[in-house]
Amino acid sequence: GQNIDQPTEMTATEGAIVQINCTYQTSGFNGLFWYQQHAGEAPTFLSYNVLDGLEEKGRFSSFLSRSKGYSYLLLKELQMKDSASYLCAVSTSTSGTYKYIFGTGTRLKVLA
Amino acid sequence: GAGVSQSPSNKVTEKGKDVELRCDPISGHTALYWYRQSLGQGLEFLIYFQGNSAPDKSGLPSDRFSAERTGGSVSTLTIQRTQQEDSAVYLCASSTAGSFNNEQFFGPGTRLTVL
């Protein structure tokens, strides 16, 4: 089957670094996305990885290892506004049929 | 428009009634997606439209759910004979192409409550 696993909740301190892990088991891997979702709001795009390695974008970085079915999102210099859910999503394609599978999300709480 | 819009923002209905949810994608986006998000859960893929191609309906949970997209733009998700388990936030997203490699832009969602 197709499966994505993320921790349910994490807590970190303002100014710290936090790493949110995502493991996946899918067929026809087509890329991995991270989205941020504040409570009561729609998800917004953070990053996209299709090749192995680290993609850096400001305070946020995302890493992918396709052989291990593993990704992480790294948030540096945490701010209170980073308190949100972080959704890992995998794009898959099988026999020309595309799917977008989301994990249940990791709720991050940033404490002062 | 500036972003994806959805209407209504909230819908309360009685069990057994039909509901229609509307999505206006970003102008020029050819791909449109519907998702369902139950409280505290991740996003559940429902249906995907790409241009004028037949939609991928494989994620629809039952035959009570249907969707159409007129003129390659506005989409309507219809739920017939609503059940209490249909209560969720229904999110629409659009992207510039349908290869699922592109960033999806989400609308604010419609919160559906079935009493």
Side-chain angles (χ1 to χ4, degrees):
Chain A
Q2 317 232 60
N3 196 50
I4 297 180
D5 286 311
Q6 310 178 232
T8 306
E9 279 191 4
M10 296 182 74
T11 303
T13 306
E14 194 175 17
I17 298 174
V18 71
Q19 177 174 313
I20 303 175
N21 296 325
C22 170
T23 57
Y24 63 89
Q25 292 175 308
T26 63
S27 54
F29 178 82
N30 216 28
L32 187 142
F33 296 78
W34 284 95
Y35 284 82
Q36 180 189 60
Q37 186 176 27
H38 285 99
E41 298 182 12
T44 55
F45 171 81
L46 287 178
S47 68
Y48 169 63
N49 294 69
V50 66
L51 299 176
D52 289 351
L54 189 68
E55 295 280 343
E56 297 187 74
K57 193 188 287 188
R59 293 190 298 116
F60 291 19
S61 303
S62 56
F63 172 82
L64 175 67
S65 168
R66 287 171 297 171
S67 61
K68 294 180 180 174
Y70 167 69
S71 172
Y72 67 72
L73 179 70
L74 194 71
L75 292 76
K76 303 174 191 172
E77 301 167 19
L78 279 174
Q79 301 175 10
M80 300 296 288
K81 66 179 183 180
D82 297 330
S83 293
S85 284
Y86 291 85
L87 306 174
C88 174
V90 173
S91 166
T92 69
S93 64
T94 309
S95 303
T97 300
Y98 294 95
K99 287 264 188 299
Y100 213 79
I101 304 167
F102 278 84
T104 54
T106 298
R107 194 159 53 249
L108 174 67
K109 201 178 294 185
V110 179
L111 305 176
Chain B
V4 178
S5 60
Q6 292 185 245
S7 60
S9 54
N10 276 286
K11 177 72 177 178
V12 180
T13 190
E14 292 178 351
K15 179 181 169 182
K17 301 279 190 187
D18 297 353
V19 295
E20 278 191 359
L21 312 180
R22 177 187 167 108
C23 172
D24 267 286
I26 292 173
S27 178
H29 280 192
T30 58
L32 186 147
Y33 316 81
W34 282 99
Y35 295 91
R36 177 168 71 175
Q37 187 172 34
S38 301
L39 189 64
Q41 300 297 310
L43 274 67
E44 176 189 2
F45 167 78
L46 297 178
I47 189 170
Y48 153 62
F49 294 89
Q50 167 54 27
N52 295 321
S53 303
D56 174 3
K57 305 179 182 180
S58 58
L60 294 178
S62 79
D63 58 8
R64 296 186 295 104
F65 287 71
S66 63
E68 59 180 30
R69 189 179 184 192
T70 53
S73 181
V74 172
S75 176
T76 304
L77 177 70
T78 302
I79 309 173
Q80 296 178 306
R81 306 181 302 283
T82 51
Q83 303 294 312
Q84 288 183 331
E85 62 262 28
D86 299 334
S87 296
V89 175
Y90 289 81
L91 290 163
C92 173
S94 69
S95 66
T96 54
S99 64
F100 281 75
N101 286 348
N102 298 83
E103 171 187 353
Q104 296 189 12
F105 294 82
F106 284 83
T110 293
R111 181 175 298 278
L112 175 66
T113 304
V114 182
L115 302 176

